[in-house]
Amino acid sequence: MDVHVFVDGAAFPNPGRGAYAAIVRVGDTERVIVQGYQLTTNNRMELRGVIAALESLEHPSRVRVVSDSTYVVLGIGWTKKWRARGWRKSDGKDVLNVDLWQRLVRVCRDHNVEFEWTRGHSGHTENERCDVLAAKCALEGDLILDEGYRGSGGSCNVSASGAAYMASWLALAHPGCTRRRASWSLRRAHLICLMASTPWGCEGAARRTKTT
């Protein structure tokens, strides 16, 4: 069975609130997988998107993964050397996000996976869709803890400028976004900023800004 996977991840700021989106396409059928996290990094979201897509497959498959992340597309080719060195890079430093790299290696064993890089924001239809879905989820989705991230448990510290930028970008990028919705998204972004600065932290802010 041939499967096409398109993935993108985002974090605002980086590290900060984040999410991934993956489109899994088999023939004329596709499904979308989206998940957001309270505090994470862009690279972890790129990795988690690929992992989620591959782990969703019920049978061994030939899979082409399309991503705009050179970290993922190049990194998967370095994993054999990293593993041989005890998950250390050539300079002797520990590989970052080793929990996700090990998980990706394991799930790739169940399939015949090829990775293809595409330039981000270049008009690639599925990549642009994933980009918008990930950013929207990071802003408005139900966010969970990114277990394995060393920075987990702290405040997301969303800056007002960062949240406002994210909301404004979504207003321009999302095809169905009207001026009225864009204005509400911007106000919601500032509300998130205020809540994130309270003792509730990022988790409280996420819990109090669920979409309807």
Side-chain angles (χ1 to χ4, degrees), residues 37-84:
Y37 294 83
Q38 300 163 10
L39 180 61
T40 189
T41 67
N42 184 78
N43 283 340
R44 288 185 67 82
M45 292 299 92
E46 299 283 2
L47 285 167
R48 279 194 177 277
V50 179
I51 292 167
L54 294 178
E55 288 183 343
S56 74
L57 301 177
E58 298 180 356
H59 306 288
S61 307
R62 290 191 301 271
V63 186
R64 179 175 294 275
V65 175
V66 180
S67 169
D68 63 7
S69 171
T70 55
Y71 178 71
V72 171
V73 174
L74 296 180
I76 193 65
W78 300 334
T79 53
K80 287 185 179 179
K81 291 184 177 179
W82 288 343
R83 185 171 47 184

Side-chain angles (χ1 to χ4, degrees), residues 5-212:
V5 171
F6 308 92
V7 181
D8 200 17
F12 301 95
N14 187 21
R17 297 165 63 92
Y20 66 76
I23 298 171
V24 181
R25 181 175 295 159
V26 182
D28 295 330
T29 303
E30 74 172 36
R31 68 178 173 278
V32 177
I33 307 171
V34 182
Q35 180 61 60
Y37 294 83
Q38 300 163 10
L39 180 61
T40 189
T41 67
N42 184 78
N43 283 340
R44 288 185 67 82
M45 292 299 92
E46 299 283 2
L47 285 167
R48 279 194 177 277
V50 179
I51 292 167
L54 294 178
E55 288 183 343
S56 74
L57 301 177
E58 298 180 356
H59 306 288
S61 307
R62 290 191 301 271
V63 186
R64 179 175 294 275
V65 175
V66 180
S67 169
D68 63 7
S69 171
T70 55
Y71 178 71
V72 171
V73 174
L74 296 180
I76 193 65
W78 300 334
T79 53
K80 287 185 179 179
K81 291 184 177 179
W82 288 343
R83 185 171 47 184
R85 299 191 194 103
W87 291 100
R88 288 184 173 83
K89 298 184 292 184
S90 57
D91 60 6
K93 295 180 180 179
D94 291 340
V95 172
L96 297 178
N97 305 315
V98 65
D99 59 319
L100 298 182
W101 281 115
Q102 290 175 339
R103 189 169 161 188
L104 179 57
V105 168
R106 285 195 298 270
V107 72
C108 281
R109 291 174 184 158
D110 298 330
H111 308 281
N112 181 0
V113 185
E114 294 183 0
F115 287 80
E116 176 184 325
W117 179 79
T118 184
R119 185 177 300 279
H121 308 289
S122 62
H124 188 289
T125 302
E126 291 83 3
N127 180 257
E128 297 288 351
R129 281 178 61 194
C130 289
D131 188 34
V132 171
L133 288 168
K136 182 172 171 55
C137 181
L139 176 62
E140 299 183 337
D142 292 322
L143 308 182
I144 64 176
L145 183 69
D146 183 6
E147 296 182 5
Y149 175 52
R150 293 179 182 178
S152 293
S155 171
C156 63
N157 295 322
V158 182
S159 67
S161 60
Y165 166 80
M166 179 163 51
S168 299
W169 181 89
L170 277 171
L172 294 173
H174 200 289
C177 191
T178 64
R179 287 186 178 183
R180 189 172 183 179
R181 289 178 60 191
S183 178
W184 166 238
S185 293
L186 187 58
R187 289 198 298 273
R188 174 175 288 186
H190 284 293
L191 180 62
I192 290 171
C193 293
L194 292 174
M195 287 182 170
S197 65
T198 69
W200 301 324
C202 187
E203 182 178 1
R207 192 165 54 244
R208 290 163 175 77
T209 54
K210 292 182 179 180
T211 55
T212 57

